[in-house]
Amino acid sequence: MNPENLLLETDGAVALIRLHRPKQLNALNDALMDELGAALARFDADDDIGCIVLTGSERAFAAGADIAAMAPKTFDQVLREDFISRNWEQILRVRKPVIAAVAGYALGGGCELAMMCDFIIAADDARFGQPEIKIGIIPGAGGTQRLPRAVGKSKAMDMVLSARMMDAQEAERSGLVSRVVPAARLLDEAMDTARTIAAFPRQSVMMAKECVNRAYSAPLADGLLFERRAFHSLFATHDQKEGMDAFLAKRAPKFENR
Ligand code: CAA
């Protein structure tokens, strides 16, 4: 079934997902998050796809969880339906890289969704914030945990407690985004990066992603051991032999993702 709140396309080995609720600045409601989870799972399972780009519009990546949908909810209801956990976290189960291409506002759940991607490329007009405090709640999709890991405690506290937004330049200085590009170049830059990643051996890409993520969930010694064993295991692949032979023979490698 075609999603109503997303635009999906593929370009070679890259899948592009655009959040598409333009009238609400891509505010994230259950319908959109269900569709996003399904699209991500589908592209993750598709052998022809090697990398996924997630973007919004020129005006907003996403202005947060849908406030109109949340306003009438009660404690009992959000607890029973496990609001957020139920359908927002599919993105964390995707094993292929997901790049967030952020232009305009990435606020509240929008900022949190971008942080759940593997890295963020920002347009020079991007603005990041966790303004939930202004509407009587707090970040609920990981903002109080991922933001301090990305930008440090002081800036995270500043943003979460005062609702101050960060512009793209500050976000890059602080380590929240990997690079800032002119707004008109954002999608080209993200797609080019995704194509580069998708051309590398799939098994190396997936293991590299898993290893970097371990840095956030495991003590250093366990993360290092996890990395070492993943590194060792790649010597069992065709593409390791091919990559190294090609380098030594000064020719382009022909990877087969095996
Ligand atoms: N939910 C629902 N609708 C939203 C929305 C949101 N998060 N953000 C914007 N909209 C809607 C507005 O209501 C408005 O709709 P109408 O045209 O029907 O009035 C439309 O999008 C355009 O918005 P504005 O007129 O407000 O546009 P602006 O340019 O003046 O301001 C903005 C843009 C600064 C992003 C402002 O819309 C804003 O502050 N939005 C709310 C941001 C926010 O609080 N996000 C956190 C939500 S809570 C959350 O995300 C919880 C969590 O952790 C998961």
Side-chain angles (χ1 to χ4, degrees):
M1 237 179 25
N2 280 341
E4 287 180 8
N5 303 287
L6 306 175
L7 301 174
L8 304 179
E9 37 186 296
T10 57
D11 178 6
V14 175
L16 173 63
I17 303 177
R18 294 176 201 259
L19 306 174
H20 189 62
R21 291 188 77 209
K23 288 195 186 121
Q24 295 87 1
L25 302 183
N26 294 331
L28 306 167
N29 63 7
D30 270 340
L32 186 154
M33 294 313 290
D34 285 343
E35 290 174 358
L36 179 60
L40 287 165
R42 199 183 93 206
F43 287 133
D44 201 29
D46 184 341
D47 284 342
D48 293 333
I49 296 298
C51 191
I52 301 166
V53 173
L54 178 61
T55 195
S57 67
E58 285 175 9
R59 202 166 156 213
F61 177 75
D66 189 318
I67 299 171
M70 282 188 296
K73 286 185 190 288
T74 63
F75 166 71
D76 180 49
Q77 195 180 352
V78 290
L79 181 65
R80 259 190 297 113
E81 72 187 40
D82 203 9
F83 178 50
I84 301 291
S85 327
R86 187 185 68 75
N87 55 357
W88 282 58
E89 295 184 330
Q90 176 62 35
I91 195 163
L92 302 176
R93 289 186 279 278
V94 175
R95 298 178 69 203
K96 292 170 185 166
V98 184
I99 303 171
V102 174
Y105 294 110
L107 301 179
C111 184
E112 293 168 303
L113 180 61
M115 289 192 289
M116 281 192 260
C117 296
D118 294 308
F119 62 96
I120 302 173
I121 300 178
D124 51 12
D125 65 357
R127 303 189 72 189
F128 299 86
Q130 297 289 163
E132 289 89 342
I133 201 104
K134 285 163 67 175
I135 53 170
I137 54 171
I138 62 169
T144 66
Q145 304 304 298
R146 291 195 180 91
L147 194 59
R149 283 169 168 78
V151 304
K153 177 182 165 185
S154 195
K155 278 186 186 289
M157 281 288 190
D158 182 2
M159 290 169 75
V160 169
L161 296 178
S162 77
R164 180 175 77 81
M165 287 189 216
M166 215 180 231
D167 65 19
Q169 288 67 30
E170 185 181 3
E172 186 183 28
R173 275 201 311 279
S174 313
L176 180 59
V177 311
S178 73
R179 48 183 126 145
V180 178
V181 300
R185 287 269 318 141
L186 176 68
L187 211 50
D188 286 345
E189 206 58 45
M191 293 298 284
D192 282 352
T193 305
R195 273 188 282 272
T196 299
I197 293 170
F200 291 133
R202 212 57 62 74
Q203 59 277 4
S204 299
V205 168
M206 282 166 45
M207 290 223 195
K209 168 171 169 160
E210 284 182 3
C211 287
V212 174
N213 280 331
R214 274 293 145 129
Y216 290 91
S217 64
L220 181 61
D222 293 351
L224 288 171
L225 181 61
F226 186 86
E227 179 205 73
R228 197 62 36 84
R229 295 295 178 245
F231 170 75
H232 290 160
S233 70
L234 288 167
F235 285 76
T237 63
H238 164 276
D239 288 345
Q240 173 264 331
K241 299 286 174 286
E242 170 61 13
M244 294 190 182
D245 287 351
F247 176 83
L248 294 172
K250 301 190 187 303
R251 62 171 174 82
K254 283 183 69 177
F255 293 128
E256 295 180 14
N257 297 326
R258 62 184 179 90

